[in-house]
Amino acid sequence: MEHAATGSLLRDGVILLGAGLGFVLLFRRLGLGATLGYLVAGAVVGPQILGLVGDAESKLGVAELGITLLLFVVGLELNPSRLWRLKEDIFGLGLLQVVACGIAITAIVALFAHFSIPAAFALGLPLALSSTAQVLPMLQSSGRLRTPFGERAFSILLFQDLSIIPLITIIAAMSRNPADAGGPPGWMLVLYTVAAIAGLIAAGRFILRPLFRGIGNMGEREMFVFAALFTVIASAALMEALGLSTALGAFIAGVMLADSPYRHELEADVDPFRSILLGLFFLTIGMMLNLTAIAERPLFVLSMALALIATKTLVIFLIGLAFRMSWRSALALGVLLSQGGEFGFVLFAQATGANLIAPEAASLFGAIITLSMATTPFLMSLTRRFREQPIVQSEREGPKADGANAVIVGYGRFGQTVGQMLLTQDIPVTLIDTDIEMIDIAGEFGAKVYYGDGTRLDLLRQAGAAEAEMILFCADGDQVTAEVIESVHEAFPNAAIYVRAFDRRALIRMKNGPANLVVREVLESAVKMARAAMEGLGIDRADIDRAEDMYRARDKERLRIQLEANDIRAARALVAEQQPWGNDR
């Protein structure tokens, strides 16, 4: 029996992962996004079409961990400095969008679809949310994520993600489920929530930060992953035990670590699990879609999808104008955010469990979200000539989002000098290092250094390397190889790469690489000391300058020969003339 169950699980896993992989690749190529690919894949292999995989409900329990991890990552994004800088757009533009779109869509659902007011709210409020998973990649690919327009779109999406918690609370408050009615009264839930949040914040400060500090000192990356997953699941489990939202627990766990030095490392470690489980969540939602109900009312699905797109576009367009955006930018923002989002499926599932809507209604409105998401790329293409305008210089050089013009890997003696000189010109930097003691000392002097291995592409991506203008490898030793530089350039082709090379051997290994500059770490300081020594001996300044020029000319010629020969032992004659005892610096 146990062997059969294992075999069934493996078979289902192969089918789901294979279908998800195939459809996501296809939909990505068509420009329709991964979320739609997962939904369609789930519908195709599910019980209503091919019937290859069943029992979606049991898989949904595991897949909902993807939503929990997503809320954790959202919490990690909310470090206080970023919230403060974007506060007007997040809590002004974002709040107004969610409220105005939610009320407008709720009214349409109540008047034209003939749902009760509670059911209309349970359907209309989730439809006010847009698809972060679809919109952010579109902004990144168009190069507008870090422009003022992109920042405003990101701020709205961020507030939408934050609004998940109150929306879940609203649905729970309207619940008609007797099991929910038998729970604690509302005032008790409020006390539980406040106490749980306070407890999680205290745990983050006095337990989790010391824990991650100890793991960082050990240098065990797998333990970092283990501790990150434990943090998320333990926070969610605490909330579930109190009868509260598990997503709220994960979100608070992320917020309490958002300003810690381990933020980027945590994001990089959790992100693969989030992506896989979120994909599984959409696969199971696709399996649970009632295609029969959709087929019976295709005109309803089509008309409601059109109404959703038109309503959100108009409302966001008017809000954009009210916030002094140009009409072209306001129209672009409205079209970009006109679709329903992935969190709608989460909230529809909550509303179904609360007996506010029937499963058939959840399937119908899930199809409406799916259809609206499919239209976004086409609408953006069709409206391009109306809404696009040349990017003015002020927008191109506008304030960057939280992320860096420069990412510095290694904040020891060398990196500190580089970073502090960049900061004198107000060039924002993100600093990465693995030395916990150095991170603590830097923090005492006001420098924010993030823990992590800066040669990892996933961590660099979380640190903002995709938008950075330059990446500077300033770490000590010979850990930055030519292969690392090649992979970094391939992943972030728009960033200039500067490398601190340990010696001539490292420089020779990188001779044909994509680095914009490779510097030998001790050359200039050694030249400076030699000049000081000659000055101490009373040698004339002109002779010192001549000695330096002679050394640099011979060293440059020697290095040229070594690079051409790809051999540190080349140009021995020049070495003998210059420094017969050494040839490695």
Side-chain angles (χ1 to χ4, degrees), residues 110-165:
L111 293 174
F112 298 101
H114 308 297
F115 282 90
S116 66
I117 296 301
F121 269 110
L123 293 167
L125 293 178
L127 291 175
L129 309 182
S130 306
S131 176
T132 302
Q134 185 177 38
V135 172
L136 285 187
M138 293 176 70
L139 287 171
Q140 287 175 327
S141 63
S142 65
R144 304 198 73 186
L145 182 58
R146 301 296 174 179
T147 65
F149 173 83
E151 280 198 338
R152 285 194 149 165
F154 174 81
S155 297
I156 292 175
L157 291 170
L158 183 57
F159 185 85
Q160 289 180 356
D161 291 342
L162 290 176
S163 68
I164 296 302
I165 303 305

Side-chain angles (χ1 to χ4, degrees), residues 122 126-127 129-130 164 340-350 366 369:
L127 291 175
L129 309 182
S130 306
I164 296 302
E342 51 272 4
F343 277 121
F345 297 103
V346 180
L347 294 168
F348 291 161
Q350 294 274 338
I369 290 178

Side-chain angles (χ1 to χ4, degrees), residues 445-490:
F445 288 90
K448 185 68 175 182
V449 184
Y450 291 102
Y451 174 85
D453 179 0
T455 62
R456 286 172 49 196
L457 296 181
D458 54 350
L459 189 136
L460 284 174
R461 187 170 287 107
Q462 296 294 348
E467 293 79 35
E469 296 177 20
M470 60 188 69
I471 303 172
L472 303 99
F473 290 94
C474 302
D476 191 12
D478 206 10
Q479 56 184 296
V480 181
T481 64
E483 291 75 15
V484 168
I485 300 303
E486 288 282 356
S487 62
V488 169
H489 174 69
E490 185 175 345

Side-chain angles (χ1 to χ4, degrees), residues 262 333 350:
Y262 315 106
L333 190 64
Q350 294 274 338

Side-chain angles (χ1 to χ4, degrees), residues 32 48 56 90 115 136 179 194 208-209 247 260 274 285 291 307 370 378 426 441 458 494 497 509 551 560 584:
L32 297 176
Q48 298 195 50
I90 295 173
F115 282 90
L136 285 187
V194 172
L208 290 179
R209 291 201 182 196
S260 73
R274 177 197 62 82
I285 291 295
L291 301 181
T370 302
F378 300 110
D426 296 324
I441 294 173
D458 54 350
N494 295 324
I497 299 175
R509 287 194 294 269
Y551 169 80
R560 182 190 66 78
D584 63 350

Side-chain angles (χ1 to χ4, degrees), residues 49-124:
I49 297 184
L50 297 181
L52 299 177
V53 180
D55 194 20
E57 288 79 4
S58 65
K59 296 177 177 60
L60 185 62
V62 176
E64 284 179 344
L65 281 175
I67 300 297
T68 302
L69 291 172
L70 179 58
L71 265 294
F72 176 70
V73 172
V74 169
L76 285 174
E77 292 290 332
L78 296 180
N79 57 310
S81 61
R82 187 176 201 184
L83 274 177
W84 183 254
R85 187 169 59 79
L86 298 177
K87 61 183 183 299
E88 292 183 5
D89 285 340
I90 295 173
F91 299 105
L93 191 60
L95 173 62
L96 191 56
Q97 182 274 321
V98 171
V99 172
C101 288
I103 292 174
I105 298 168
T106 296
I108 290 172
V109 172
L111 293 174
F112 298 101
H114 308 297
F115 282 90
S116 66
I117 296 301
F121 269 110
L123 293 167

Side-chain angles (χ1 to χ4, degrees), residues 512-567:
N512 295 321
N516 297 71
L517 176 68
V518 182
V519 296
R520 283 175 284 166
E521 60 182 19
V522 298
L523 175 63
E524 297 304 322
S525 56
V527 169
K528 187 173 183 179
M529 179 176 280
R531 287 184 62 94
M534 286 186 280
E535 288 176 1
L537 293 173
I539 297 175
D540 185 73
R541 177 65 61 87
D543 290 334
I544 294 175
D545 290 340
R546 190 161 43 252
E548 179 179 348
D549 292 341
M550 184 183 300
Y551 169 80
R552 289 187 182 276
R554 289 180 176 176
D555 183 72
K556 183 177 180 180
E557 176 63 15
R558 191 174 101 222
L559 185 59
R560 182 190 66 78
I561 295 172
Q562 290 171 330
L563 289 172
E564 289 178 355
N566 198 31
D567 184 3

